[in-house]
Each structure stands twice: as C-alpha cells, then as structure tokens.
Amino acid sequence: MTSVTQVAEGIFRIDIGRVKGAGSGNYLDCSLVYFIASDGETAIIDTGPAAVTPDILKAIRELGYDPARLSHVILTHIHLDHAGAVGALLQQFPGIKVAVHRRGAPHLIKPEMLIEGTRQAYGKNFEADYGPISPVPKEQVLPVDEGDVIRVG
C-alpha cells in the first residue's frame, strides 16, 4: 500500500511498499520515490520499476500536483528498482528531462545491456513482475557528473 510522507518543505517520500519479486512469488520492499515541488516546478528522484508507475502518478495527483508538469526525473542509479519506470514515464510525459550519471546515460538511451543484466539478476521473466525497461530519448537525457547541481524551482 502506497504511503506519502512529507520529509521537508516541498519534499515528499512516496513509499510504494511491497513489489512482487520476479518469478519468485516473494515480495521486495524496494520502491521509494521522492517528489519535489519548488517554485512551480516538480521533480522526482528515482522512479521505481515500471510496474509501480500508476501508484507514483496517483500519489503525485493526491498531493495536488499534475504529473504532466514534472520537469525532471533525477536518477541515483539505473538499476531496475530505482530507474525501471523512467522510459515508460517519458512515453506518457515527453517534456521531462532525466538527470543521470554520465556513465548510466548511454544505457538509458539504448537499454539492451541493462535489460540483459536485469534478466540475469532477476530472471528471464522479470517484466511480468516489474514491467518493461523502455529506452529514453537521447534529447531528454541530462548527463551529470559527481558534484553537479540540479536545480528544481
């Protein structure tokens, strides 16, 4: 069950709770997303896997914000449980910029190696539980390096 907690002014933690593990029937507690609202702009930190996208969007709406107005997705890293939904999210909202470490950026644009690594880690049927990993258009990727500052609002 999704819960939302305000952690600071304009910053909310969206906890999706339990996500079914790929092919195992087990559940994983792995889907935390942070939502930031500042000076009319909004962003999320990490997306969780694609399967939780509807829950994330619902939580943002319940906070009184329009997900179509998201300006940024900021990824801590590109593993399935943190960034698996980014491609699906951008298919719905093509104006979002995705800030990701420079080394991860090529894998979002052409996710074949990411998909294969995920398949090895989670099993060949990972999409059944977690949803697909979709490519991110190159023009929406904002490669960042350690120490870079991303401003929202």
Side-chain angles (χ1 to χ4, degrees):
M1 178 168 191
T2 303
S3 68
V4 178
T5 307
Q6 185 167 356
V7 295
E9 186 176 338
I11 302 174
F12 302 87
R13 182 181 67 220
I14 302 171
D15 184 352
I16 299 303
R18 305 185 94 193
V19 175
K20 186 178 178 187
S24 66
N26 295 324
Y27 285 83
L28 308 172
D29 295 314
C30 66
S31 294
L32 279 179
V33 172
Y34 286 86
F35 176 75
I36 302 169
S38 178
D39 295 330
E41 288 190 33
T42 58
I44 57 175
I45 299 175
D46 288 342
T47 63
V52 303
T53 301
D55 300 306
I56 300 298
L57 298 178
K58 180 181 177 190
I60 291 170
R61 287 184 189 101
E62 288 176 356
L63 286 168
Y65 295 93
D66 180 359
R69 299 196 56 188
L70 282 168
S71 60
H72 288 84
V73 170
I74 302 163
L75 298 176
T76 59
H77 61 288
I78 61 171
H79 289 161
L80 173 71
D81 56 334
H82 289 261
V86 70
L89 191 64
L90 269 60
Q91 288 173 354
Q92 292 182 58
F93 308 111
I96 299 171
K97 291 290 185 188
V98 180
V100 62
H101 192 276
R102 186 168 307 285
R103 288 186 293 183
H107 299 292
L108 293 181
I109 297 164
K110 293 184 178 181
E112 292 80 14
M113 286 178 57
L114 181 60
I115 291 168
E116 182 54 34
T118 302
R119 191 173 284 122
Q120 289 176 18
Y122 289 91
K124 66 180 181 179
N125 297 321
F126 76 89
E127 288 183 350
D129 292 329
Y130 292 99
I133 296 174
S134 302
V136 174
K138 183 177 183 175
E139 59 274 5
Q140 289 179 259
V141 175
L142 176 64
V144 295
D145 291 304
E146 184 175 340
D148 285 355
V149 175
I150 302 158
R151 299 207 183 274
V152 176

